[in-house]
Structures are given as structure tokens and as C-alpha cells.
Amino acid sequence: DTGVSQDPRHKITKRGQNVTFRCDPISEHNRLYWYRQTLGQGPEFLTYFQNEAQLEKSRLLSDRFSAERPKGSFSTLEIQRTEQGDSAMYLCASSLEVGGVGKLFFGSGTQLSVL
Amino acid sequence: KQEVTQIPAALSVPEGENLVLNCSFTDSAIYNLQWFRQDPGKGLTSLLLIQSSQREQTSGRLNASLDKSSGRSTLYIAASQPGDSATYLCAVLYSTLTFGKGTMLLVSP
């Protein structure tokens, strides 16, 4: 499968625990995005990378959130000291930017439930 | 700040009907507009992408139009089928994608 893959698909955790999600983009894509989606809402932008550089972060990304993309390949999103309000679907997307803005391809998401 | 609005929020139609989903955005400074489909509990599947210089794109029974100056886009679905039932999301791209809340479509047999 050459699409965007995310792991795990589902995560249930207790409030206060740390969680980490992984995203593997389409191999030749240089941009990687993280979005969060709650029930009945559209996805909300969190952050994006151009290769290994994190170029933009939303104000939604509090100090408890950190994202990395070492070597410009896969990315991880870590949430520390989870809160019930962090419960959402976390979506990863990638695109190929070459002299223009390309189509975003999304993974199936990681559904986080904080108890 | 870019805001994207989709109307209607939900739509229920019998199989075979042609239908139109609407999307509006507040800032016309966009690179492109994409329409996505999302099935319950799943990720997003890109349906159509319209570059800012284009007026429309077609794929099978789907046709999307873009009027950048008025900040509007429509997604036209011809001869709807029960398999079209899903949430349809509109998103505009400048540096990042900004999404609407989606239109939940139900096509009944």
C-alpha cells in the first residue's frame, strides 16, 4: 500500500498519560500535515512540515503537544498529560510541493479517547 | 482568518436524484480548493481539486465549480447512489487547508 498510513488506529488512555502517534507519508511527498477532528466538525490544522522543518504551528497546538519529523520521512505527534478535551481523531496528510501546491492525501486517522 | 461554510449541513435524497452541495469561503486569496469525502470513523478521500486559476473539474458523476471572486464552490453529484452516502467536506488552501464542517449526505434506495 502506497498511501498515508497512521498507527495506531485507536488509542484509549487515562487522563494524565502521554500518548504518541505515528504517520508514514507517501514516500516521495515532502510536506506532512497534522489535523485534529472532533465529531461533527471539519478537521482543524495543527502543524505541518516541509521535509524535516516544522514550518507552521496552530495556536491549537498547546505546550503539551509536540511533533517531529526526523530525516523528513515519518512523523510523530506526542501529547503529554492528556486531558479529556484531547479526545478526537488525529489525521495526518502528505503532499508533494514542487513549484506549486499539490493535492493532500490523508491517512485513516488515529482515534484517541481519553478517559 | 479564513472561514469556510458548507450548506446544507445535512441532506437526504432518494436514489437517482441530482444534487448540489455548496461551499463558501471568506478570503479569496487561495491556491486551490478541494472536495473530500469522509465515511464514518474513517479518513478523508480527495474527490476533486480545483486550482485557483480554474473554473471547474469533473470526475465521473462529480463536477465541482469554483468562483474565486465571489468565494463560492459547488459540488454537483449526478444520478446519486446509496454508495454516495457520506460526509462531503470542502477545503481551501493557502498555506494550510481550512475545512468547512461538511455536508452529511444520505442517499436512500
Side-chain angles (χ1 to χ4, degrees), chain A residues 84-100:
Chain A
Q84 288 185 325
D86 297 330
S87 296
M89 172 81 86
Y90 289 83
L91 293 162
C92 175
S94 69
S95 68
L96 179 63
E97 311 298 325
V98 180

Side-chain angles (χ1 to χ4, degrees), chain A residues 19-75:
Chain A
V19 294
T20 300
F21 311 140
R22 177 181 169 120
C23 172
D24 287 273
I26 294 172
S27 59
E28 64 269 23
H29 284 186
N30 51 8
R31 278 209 179 175
L32 187 148
Y33 302 79
W34 285 99
Y35 282 80
R36 181 175 70 184
Q37 186 179 26
T38 54
L39 199 61
Q41 303 295 314
E44 296 174 296
F45 168 76
L46 293 178
T47 187
Y48 85 91
F49 294 82
Q50 175 92 9
N51 299 312
E52 66 274 11
Q54 189 172 18
L55 295 187
E56 189 171 340
K57 293 194 292 185
S58 162
R59 58 183 171 80
L60 294 175
L61 212 67
S62 75
D63 291 345
R64 296 184 298 104
F65 288 70
S66 63
E68 295 182 344
R69 192 183 183 198
K71 303 179 183 178
S73 54
F74 71 92
S75 176

Side-chain angles (χ1 to χ4, degrees), chain A residues 9 31 33 35 37 40-45 48 56 59 89 91 97 101-109, chain B residues 1 31-32 34 36 38 41-44 46-49 51 89 93-102:
Chain A
R9 290 295 309 277
R31 278 209 179 175
Y33 302 79
Y35 282 80
Q37 186 179 26
Q41 303 295 314
E44 296 174 296
F45 168 76
Y48 85 91
E56 189 171 340
R59 58 183 171 80
M89 172 81 86
L91 293 162
E97 311 298 325
V101 185
K103 184 185 295 188
L104 268 69
F105 294 83
F106 279 81
S108 298
Chain B
K1 179 189 172 188
Y31 284 118
N32 63 47
Q34 284 187 247
F36 292 88
Q38 187 173 32
K42 300 293 177 69
L44 281 68
S46 180
L47 298 173
L48 290 165
L49 181 149
Q51 300 291 355
L89 293 154
L93 180 69
Y94 184 62
S95 62
T96 63
L97 271 180
T98 301
F99 285 84
K101 292 184 178 181

